[in-house]
Amino acid sequence: MTLAANSGTSFSSSTAKRALSPKRRRPASTSTLGISLVTLAALLALWFLAAHFEWASPLFLPSPAEVLTQFSAVWADGYANGTLLEHTLASLGRIAAALGVGIFLGIPLGLLMGLNRWVKGIFSVPIDLYWGLPPLAYLPLLIIWLGIGETSKIVLLSLSTFAPICFAAQAGVRSVPVERINAALSLGASRLQLFTSIILPSALPEIMTGLKIAIGAGLSTLVAAELIAAQSGLGYMIMSAANFLATDVVFVGLIVIAILAFAFTSGMRWLEHRLIPWKGKI
Amino acid sequence: MLRIRDASVTFPASDGQDVHALDHVSLDIAPDSIVVAVGASGCGKSTLLNAIAGFLPLTKGTITLDGKEIVAPGGDRGVVFQKDTLLPWANVLDNVALGLKYGGVPRSERHERSRRLLELVGLADFAEKPPYELSGGMRQRVGIARALATDPKILLMDEPFGALDSLTRETMQQLLASVWAKTGKQILFITHSIEEALTLGTTIVVMSPRPGRIVAWFDADFVREFAESGDIGPIQSHPRFIEMRQEIRSLIHQPEGARTGTLQ
């Protein structure tokens, strides 16, 4: 009986090989995209149902349709002194400026701190001190010093992006394997060649990680700063809407921020793939 | 000629008791020779290599290469490490050409020379690949080509095949023997394998730990035969090979009483 069952289901060895070969060439898909999309759809469906059956008051939980209508209204007519695009661009401009400052000051200083005992000794104390503070705690001080305008916000954001980038560049220098440095020296590298051809590229993966942390820190500080003191930006739009219980506009703002955060994350992943394809391979 | 005179390296230890990693070692490495230092771990053989490479200052003594004292790493001493030290962001060809780039050799010339070296180590078809797509043995071959590219006076090899499986290791030994026969480079080779030492060395230096010193040295010429035949089997079953292996083994296991090898 076992024999019969076997002969019924087995196939010749050549068929078996052919049936297996595509699987052998390409291992089982590890992509989670499909699963994630289903989860997203389920969440949307839950939101739709919750709004449709009014599990919460419409005042607190607007329906997806309302949010969509409000989205196009805010896009076309604006809300709180500006269209959606203007608010988004205001926020993006601030974070871009802060990232620029963080990168152009944080990377060189971090590299120097990794290379030189004196530079590290001098700068690590002030950076450690302010990095431990919640940014919103010293925002009032920055407003007193620099006024309510753009400067105080960009300085605040720059402080929150600078430290993680600086720390990462420093850690990157210290993570260079000593054998790699010795190999370059025994090949006749000068100090400058050692820095440009070995230390800088070796530190790049750490710097990219620092950049990702800086974007996260910058984004959360940005919105918080706009909630407190701003005349434009997504945080300001959300706060204005909340004051009038315009929950649908709050939702619009949140969705835009979520999309921005997602775009930043994807962009960084793409950049890592382009700049450091060797990461984790050696 | 590499001349090591009375070289000592002492590390301060946490318990206050200094570690004598290298204790009054004297050794000459003549051109056209492969000196293999063999010994248990901690016998100072890597310390010796690091001192010659210039990675580690001597506490006492001197090392000179063609009369010039060694104080820092430099392109006249090529180093092949046990750990893969290739640059992952550069392809195989640019890795081999690294030392030539440091030396300011124009791009086309350094690529041409590097390609010839890749041919020598049998990797001509892998010039454009990133190193992480190569096997461990292939990466070590790139490492050898890279160390040879600047045409150093001496090649320093620190257990270069220690991390490889035994089959790959044999292939690599063969490759090194043939590269040596073709280029006539003087080589200092560090290993903890007695068989490897006897297969590759024209001089075998036996070292013992605490303090790290040379306890015996032997002359051998199996490597010439190996370079010609490429066959390790008959060499390793040679009665003299077996006899020397036994003597070195007993020296390593009972390091008391320094004495000079009597064979050959």
Side-chain angles (χ1 to χ4, degrees), chain B residues 11 18 50-51 55 92 96 107 113 117 124 142 147 153 185-187 195 221 233 236 241 252 258:
Chain B
F11 297 114
D18 285 356
N50 284 332
F55 303 149
V92 166
V96 175
R107 190 186 165 84
R113 273 161 72 177
L117 281 164
V142 179
K153 289 176 185 157
K185 277 266 173 287
Q186 53 184 327
I187 296 173
E195 285 81 6
D221 59 1
Q236 297 204 337
F241 187 100
I252 287 175

Side-chain angles (χ1 to χ4, degrees), chain B residues 23 58 76 203:
Chain B
D23 192 43
L58 289 178
D76 52 349
T203 302

Side-chain angles (χ1 to χ4, degrees), chain A residues 182 186 189 193 197 201-202 278 281, chain B residues 55 74-75 77 85 88-89 102 132:
Chain A
N182 280 342
S186 72
Q193 284 167 333
S197 74
S202 295
W278 71 83
K281 284 178 179 156
Chain B
F55 303 149
R77 286 148 286 148
T85 56
W89 51 85
Y102 290 151
Y132 50 80

Side-chain angles (χ1 to χ4, degrees), chain B residues 128-184:
Chain B
E128 320 297 336
K129 292 241 186 267
Y132 50 80
E133 286 183 11
L134 269 57
S135 70
M138 285 171 158
R139 280 189 233 168
Q140 277 310 53
R141 283 194 262 170
V142 179
I144 293 171
R146 182 180 69 176
L148 285 170
T150 49
D151 197 20
K153 289 176 185 157
I154 184 169
L155 206 55
L156 306 170
M157 308 184 78
D158 189 5
E159 299 194 37
F161 312 146
L164 304 176
D165 64 88
S166 59
L167 289 175
T168 311
R169 196 176 174 137
E170 230 169 80
T171 320
M172 294 298 291
Q173 291 167 350
Q174 228 170 68
L175 176 95
L176 184 67
S178 80
V179 165
W180 172 74
K182 277 178 204 160
T183 60

Side-chain angles (χ1 to χ4, degrees), chain B residues 108-120:
Chain B
S108 60
E109 191 191 332
R110 64 174 189 252
H111 277 183
E112 195 193 311
R113 273 161 72 177
S114 303
R115 265 181 218 284
R116 274 208 302 275
L117 281 164
L118 280 176
E119 263 166 48
L120 182 74

Side-chain angles (χ1 to χ4, degrees), chain A residues 177-190 193-194 196-203 205 275-279 281-282, chain B residues 50 53 55 73-79 81 83-89 95 98-104 131-132 139 146-147 150:
Chain A
V178 65
E179 292 93 349
R180 200 177 270 173
I181 290 175
N182 280 342
L185 288 174
S186 72
L187 288 167
S190 67
Q193 284 167 333
L194 188 68
T196 54
S197 74
I198 305 289
I199 292 172
L200 196 58
S202 295
L275 287 178
I276 41 174
W278 71 83
K279 193 186 178 186
K281 284 178 179 156
I282 214 160
Chain B
N50 284 332
F55 303 149
D76 52 349
R77 286 148 286 148
V79 185
F81 298 81
K83 233 178 109 188
D84 169 20
T85 56
L86 301 177
L87 307 181
W89 51 85
N95 265 290
L98 191 63
L100 296 173
K101 189 179 175 187
Y102 290 151
Y132 50 80
R139 280 189 233 168
R146 182 180 69 176
T150 49

